[in-house]
Amino acid sequence: YIHAQSQISHGPFIAVNMGAISESLFESEMFGHTKGAFTDAKSSRIGRFELAKNGTLFLDEIANIPLSQQAKLLRVLETGEYEVLGSSQTQFTSIRLISATNSNFKQLIEKELFREDLFYRINTIEFRVPSLKERTLDIVPLAEYFMAMYCKKYSKLNLTLSSEAICALQDYHWPGNIRELSHLMERAVLLCRDDVLSVSALNIKPSQLATASSADLP
């Protein structure tokens, strides 16, 4: 949405899951490589910074970037300069950076797992998205949305939530947030044999509900 409403909306939007990039492939993925730069580099590769030039680069799970590679990211964010792996020629890029994480940066910095200077470089404006448990009014509408989506996907009749299922969804603490809700509703749709989705189809264990309720007590 930020990209679409910006003055560079005509430019590319490149999203990267940093949790899926290994330390050994970081430079190749982000800055690209030339043919023969390393073993198995049978052709040249364009890096994400070049792909996102004059557009937006979204780094999801940015806290997963290895400490050894964070200085390289800091350099390109500060100067716009980088080198393609296997090349000595300096490249230049201009991008808007958007990043996301569910990690606690204060703890990571204290444990020296994330560079403090890099944190301040990427933390110009911060948006905190409340957890699902903090948005209890959203739980049921989201559950119904996922339920309808998976009914369509698996060619099942439209289902409704029982009152007990609604209470169970609202009482659960959702440590996995939206992803957990999506996966739970997919499984529930597959297991449900009636036109009303019950608590048993949700497969939320009583101990989980008890723990969630106890955690909410003052």
Side-chain angles (χ1 to χ4, degrees):
Y1 179 82
I2 293 172
H3 173 76
Q5 301 303 314
S6 71
Q7 295 180 350
I8 58 173
S9 58
H10 61 279
F13 178 86
I14 305 298
V16 188
N17 180 4
M18 302 309 297
I21 297 179
S22 65
E23 183 173 0
S24 60
L25 294 177
F26 178 85
E27 287 187 81
S28 174
E29 290 285 341
M30 302 308 297
F31 308 130
H33 66 251
T34 61
K35 182 179 180 180
F38 53 87
T39 304
D40 295 331
K42 299 178 181 179
S43 61
S44 298
R45 179 187 180 89
I46 298 176
R48 306 303 174 90
F49 274 95
E50 184 175 351
L51 290 172
K53 189 173 183 179
N54 299 322
T56 299
L57 179 63
F58 173 51
L59 302 183
D60 196 11
E61 300 298 344
I62 192 171
N64 290 338
I65 297 177
L67 187 63
S68 60
Q69 306 294 345
Q70 291 176 21
K72 299 170 184 175
L73 178 61
L74 178 62
R75 180 203 173 200
V76 68
L77 293 180
E78 288 186 333
T79 68
E81 300 179 353
Y82 66 95
E83 284 79 38
V84 174
L85 193 62
S87 172
S88 59
Q89 184 176 0
T90 299
Q91 304 287 333
F92 298 88
T93 189
S94 175
I95 56 101
R96 165 183 277 121
L97 179 75
I98 300 177
S99 55
T101 184
N102 59 2
S103 299
N104 186 315
F105 274 118
K106 182 179 180 181
Q107 294 179 358
L108 292 174
I109 292 171
E110 289 175 350
K111 295 178 181 178
E112 298 184 350
L113 296 175
F114 200 89
R115 293 177 61 110
E116 189 170 13
D117 49 2
L118 177 57
F119 170 71
Y120 288 121
R121 182 62 186 81
I122 64 175
N123 197 43
T124 306
I125 299 176
E126 179 180 337
F127 296 96
R128 178 182 176 273
V129 180
S131 67
L132 187 57
K133 186 56 181 175
E134 295 175 77
R135 297 178 285 130
T136 53
L137 294 179
D138 293 340
I139 294 175
V140 173
L142 284 168
E144 291 175 339
Y145 166 79
F146 288 127
M147 186 169 61
M149 182 177 71
Y150 290 122
C151 282
K152 182 178 180 180
K153 178 179 179 180
Y154 296 114
S155 301
K156 300 194 69 171
L157 296 176
N158 290 332
L159 301 174
T160 57
L161 290 168
S162 69
S163 57
E164 293 81 6
I166 289 175
C167 291
L169 289 169
Q170 292 175 330
D171 289 341
Y172 184 49
H173 60 298
W174 301 109
N177 284 298
I178 298 294
R179 287 190 182 94
E180 183 179 10
L181 177 58
S182 174
H183 294 158
L184 185 144
M185 295 310 299
E186 181 175 17
R187 181 181 61 209
V189 167
L190 289 171
L191 294 176
C192 186
R193 295 293 179 266
D194 301 309
D195 56 357
V196 177
L197 199 149
S198 64
V199 175
S200 59
L202 291 176
N203 198 30
I204 298 178
K205 299 178 181 178
S207 59
Q208 293 175 309
L209 295 175
T211 301
S213 300
S214 298
D216 292 337
L217 293 175

